[in-house]
Amino acid sequence: MTSTAAERFAEGFAAIDRTNLSTLADLYHEDMVFIDPLHEIRGLAAMRAYCANLYANVSEIRFDFHHCQQLNPTDAVLRWTMTYRHPRLKGGLPIALDGCSFLEFRGEKVCRHRDYFDAGALLYEHLPVLGSVIGWLKGRLA
């Protein structure tokens, strides 16, 4: 059975770690764009630097892809859970974050990658003082 570009991307991205960042070139075009709620990155070199910094600052990170849907030859959507550990967040315990990615392909490589997730659940809710305030606010709004 042939896999879609989205499935091949998910498999390749899930295999990335701090030791094989060069494989990003197998997934992304040189002039790619990555956007998430906290960043906008342009170009493969900048993406490699971003990932190097990300992997250097966490003690563990893993992406589990739950759904890959190729919408047409150039567009795909992926649902995922990122699980990570950061020594200064949540006492170094694992933090899980659900999100989704919209990918635009040029051939077999991604030229535009847009992630959607709750930035508070990623970071702010796990900071010692700010996390308590966010938790209190969420409780008041519920």
Side-chain angles (χ1 to χ4, degrees):
M1 175 151 85
T2 355
S3 61
T4 65
E7 291 167 336
R8 289 187 296 277
F9 175 86
E11 183 180 324
F13 197 87
I16 292 174
D17 62 31
R18 71 184 80 223
T19 67
N20 65 0
L21 294 177
S22 63
T23 61
L24 287 167
D26 298 334
L27 305 173
Y28 290 104
H29 266 274
E30 189 69 34
D31 61 347
M32 55 78 65
V33 175
F34 171 83
I35 300 170
D36 73 12
L38 304 172
H39 308 92
E40 182 169 330
I41 298 163
R42 295 185 173 274
L44 182 57
M47 183 66 166
R48 196 176 291 117
Y50 165 76
C51 288
N53 185 55
L54 172 69
Y55 285 92
N57 287 305
V58 295
S59 52
E60 178 186 334
I61 188 167
R62 182 181 78 245
F63 287 88
D64 296 305
F65 291 92
H66 309 295
H67 181 74
C68 300
Q69 184 173 0
Q70 193 77 41
L71 302 172
N72 57 50
T74 60
D75 300 303
V77 63
L78 311 174
R79 282 186 323 137
W80 45 263
T81 300
M82 176 180 69
T83 305
Y84 72 102
R85 291 176 188 253
H86 190 287
R88 292 183 295 196
L89 297 175
K90 201 177 172 183
L93 295 171
I95 298 168
L97 175 74
D98 292 323
C100 67
S101 299
F102 288 91
L103 305 177
E104 186 178 321
F105 290 88
R106 191 177 312 141
E108 289 294 309
K109 293 185 178 183
V110 171
C111 60
R112 185 171 175 82
H113 179 162
R114 177 87 189 236
D115 277 353
Y116 294 91
F117 57 82
D118 179 350
L122 171 71
L123 177 64
Y124 310 122
E125 292 177 15
H126 307 289
L127 295 171
V129 175
L130 192 54
S132 319
V133 172
I134 291 172
W136 177 80
L137 281 172
K138 279 185 162 184
R140 297 280 297 166
L141 293 172

